[in-house]
Amino acid sequence: MLKAIEISADVYWVGGVDWNERNFHGYTTERGTTYNAYLIVDEKIALIDTCKAPFAEDLIARIADIVDPASIDYLVSLHGEMDHSGSLPALLDVAPGATVVTGAPKGADILRAHYGDDLPVQAVKTGDVLDLGKRSLSFVQTPMVHWPDNMVAYDAFDRILFSNDAFGQHLATSKRFDDEVGLPEVLVQAQKYYANIVMPYGRQVAKALGALEGLDIALIAPAHGVIWRSHVAEILEAYRAWSSGDPEDRAVVVYDSMWHTTEAMAREVAEAFVECGVPVKLLDLKVNHISDIMSDVLPAKYVAVGSPTLNMTMMPTVAGFLCYLRGLAPKNRIGLAFGSYGWAPAGPNEVAEALEKSGFSLPLGALTRQWVEDDEGLSFVHDAVVGLVRGQGDEEPLA
Ligand code: FEO
């Protein structure tokens, strides 16, 4: 029998655990995920978010462990994406008197587009307060973190920030709190989540963090993964760093290779970073998923990408990575393009063009070598990278 889990007096986690989700629209979720919903029992009863549609029965069963679902007064939708709103129709079936509270105007638009114009919606804006009795929920809209409708709700009585996607992690576990899993493990998933979902919206994240400044927060209750209880300061600081647009002195070298020449160049690029004291990761696209690579791209100032020429273009694995990278739009980075070719350097040149189009500065252009790489060629690559990194050390920080 499914149970609700009390996270604070009269506040319950009633979500769903998706142990076997392995692909979240292209993002590999090797640890599964959760769809968190929270029940607040006061003079009025509120449910914050729902679950992905297949978890509606689990959600209703956990609610029924505490109250009759028909007694729910408010269904608060902080974000209309279907992993959080998919069970809304099922909830309205069992709680037909409930009012749906969502952001104005985008939350209301999105929910009506998905679930019909007759949805009983009360649209709220930043500064609006929903009175529940002893408690009230104060809303702060956080547009584009990561859809236009996102908002968070703060319960000052329990000092809980219900943050929806922000501060989430795709992490299925039988535990509900950060300290029960351990900070390093949770942070790995929080970083992957930020890199793959939130990274394009760093400016909006910084603005949202500013709006939350000064709140007394005991718990951050996100819509995915575990609840932040013992490490609230750490996750807030991590979001500040990730959204700052000020990457660390780190490098990732990403490549694919046909006959190991581009691979040899990749190794030489990595060795050059090591020689300069810059931590580096060397990632072959044949065996690393692009969504895992993005975790390493997130803090890295240098992103080096290598491809040989295949059929007068770059390799499809590299093209896919660069397409994904362009969408996630990391800011203030230095790109390096490299690769080998037989009779035309189209592959590495296309890598350079793609990085430039994505906003990377590319001081070295494309490092290309014909046919098999020899010691002289590798020295050329090595010296170019060392010169770049050492030169960077003398320059102003990236704007
Ligand atoms: Fe977890 Fe944007 O939905």
Side-chain angles (χ1 to χ4, degrees):
M1 190 173 146
L2 294 175
K3 294 281 188 192
I5 294 172
E6 195 166 42
I7 64 166
S8 186
D10 296 326
V11 181
Y12 301 87
W13 175 89
V14 288
V17 181
D18 196 348
W19 290 98
N20 296 305
E21 179 64 272
R22 289 293 178 270
N23 190 310
F24 201 90
H25 36 66
Y27 163 170
T28 54
T29 48
E30 67 279 0
R31 297 291 307 273
T33 192
T34 70
Y35 313 108
N36 297 337
Y38 300 97
L39 184 72
I40 303 177
V41 181
D42 204 319
E43 289 166 30
K44 298 284 186 186
I45 297 177
L47 179 71
I48 298 186
D49 288 321
T50 72
C51 297
K52 199 172 174 181
F55 290 81
E57 278 185 23
D58 289 19
L59 171 61
I60 292 167
R62 291 189 203 277
I63 294 168
D65 182 39
I66 304 300
V67 297
D68 178 354
S71 63
I72 294 173
D73 297 289
Y74 298 111
L75 296 167
V76 178
S77 172
L78 298 176
H79 172 36
E81 194 165 6
M82 291 74 82
D83 49 337
H84 309 298
S85 70
S87 299
L88 207 47
L91 258 296
L92 283 166
D93 282 347
V94 296
T99 299
V100 177
V101 179
T102 189
K106 298 293 185 187
D109 292 348
I110 289 169
L111 291 184
R112 285 185 175 130
H114 284 81
Y115 307 111
D117 287 337
D118 54 352
L119 209 65
V121 165
Q122 176 183 336
V124 295
K125 292 185 168 163
T126 293
D128 287 350
V129 174
L130 184 68
D131 185 14
L132 301 177
K134 279 188 297 188
R135 297 169 179 78
S136 58
L137 291 174
S138 306
F139 298 101
V140 178
Q141 292 182 291
T142 54
M144 298 318 297
V145 186
H146 70 121
W147 273 19
D149 64 322
N150 280 85
M151 61 178 186
V152 300
Y154 179 62
D155 160 12
F157 184 85
D158 302 294
R159 299 187 296 136
I160 303 176
L161 179 70
F162 297 98
S163 64
N164 193 265
D165 277 334
F167 312 115
Q169 332 94 45
H170 283 315
L171 177 61
T173 164
S174 57
K175 305 296 186 185
R176 297 276 63 87
F177 291 100
D178 53 357
D179 47 64
E180 296 175 314
V181 175
L183 183 61
E185 199 173 333
V186 180
L187 264 184
V188 164
Q189 295 304 330
Q191 179 163 337
K192 183 171 180 182
Y193 188 95
Y194 187 99
N196 284 276
I197 292 183
V198 189
M199 183 152 62
Y201 311 110
R203 197 166 44 82
Q204 291 88 340
V205 171
K207 196 170 166 198
L209 289 170
L212 302 177
E213 199 88 34
L215 290 183
D216 180 11
I217 299 172
L219 301 178
I220 296 178
H224 297 290
V226 293
I227 296 163
W228 299 94
R229 174 172 67 182
S230 295
H231 301 292
V232 168
E234 286 91 335
I235 190 61
L236 287 172
E237 184 48 41
Y239 263 57
R240 270 186 209 107
W242 294 332
S243 64
S244 69
D246 187 16
E248 298 169 26
D249 228 13
R250 292 180 172 276
V252 283
V253 182
V254 181
Y255 69 97
D256 201 348
S257 192
M258 292 163 65
W259 290 101
H260 306 292
T261 302
T262 300
E263 181 182 353
M265 295 174 79
R267 290 181 179 282
E268 199 62 35
V269 171
E271 278 303 306
F273 281 117
V274 172
E275 189 178 312
C276 295
V278 176
V280 60
K281 284 204 174 177
L282 180 65
L283 301 167
D284 183 345
L285 280 161
K286 280 195 273 296
V287 293
N288 290 282
H289 193 269
I290 53 176
S291 62
D292 287 317
I293 294 174
M294 287 308 158
S295 288
D296 293 309
V297 167
L298 175 61
K301 178 162 129 183
Y302 301 98
V303 180
V305 183
S307 174
T309 299
L310 172 68
N311 298 330
M312 290 307 286
T313 183
M314 61 183 131
M315 291 187 75
T317 45
V318 180
F321 168 73
L322 288 168
C323 173
Y324 195 55
L325 184 72
R326 186 175 71 234
L328 292 172
K331 310 282 186 305
N332 302 332
R333 315 296 168 115
I334 295 173
L336 284 103
F338 63 92
S340 65
Y341 65 96
W343 50 96
N349 285 345
E350 283 188 7
V351 171
E353 278 170 33
L355 284 170
E356 277 182 332
K357 274 188 192 157
S358 298
F360 284 70
S361 74
L362 220 65
L364 299 180
L367 301 175
T368 65
R369 299 303 281 181
Q370 192 170 15
W371 298 120
V372 181
E373 199 54 284
D374 55 14
D375 285 348
E376 185 195 340
L378 292 177
S379 298
F380 159 78
V381 171
H382 172 275
D383 294 349
V385 175
V386 168
L388 170 71
V389 176
R390 294 209 168 128
Q392 277 292 316
D394 299 334
E395 290 175 6
E396 293 293 309
L398 292 172

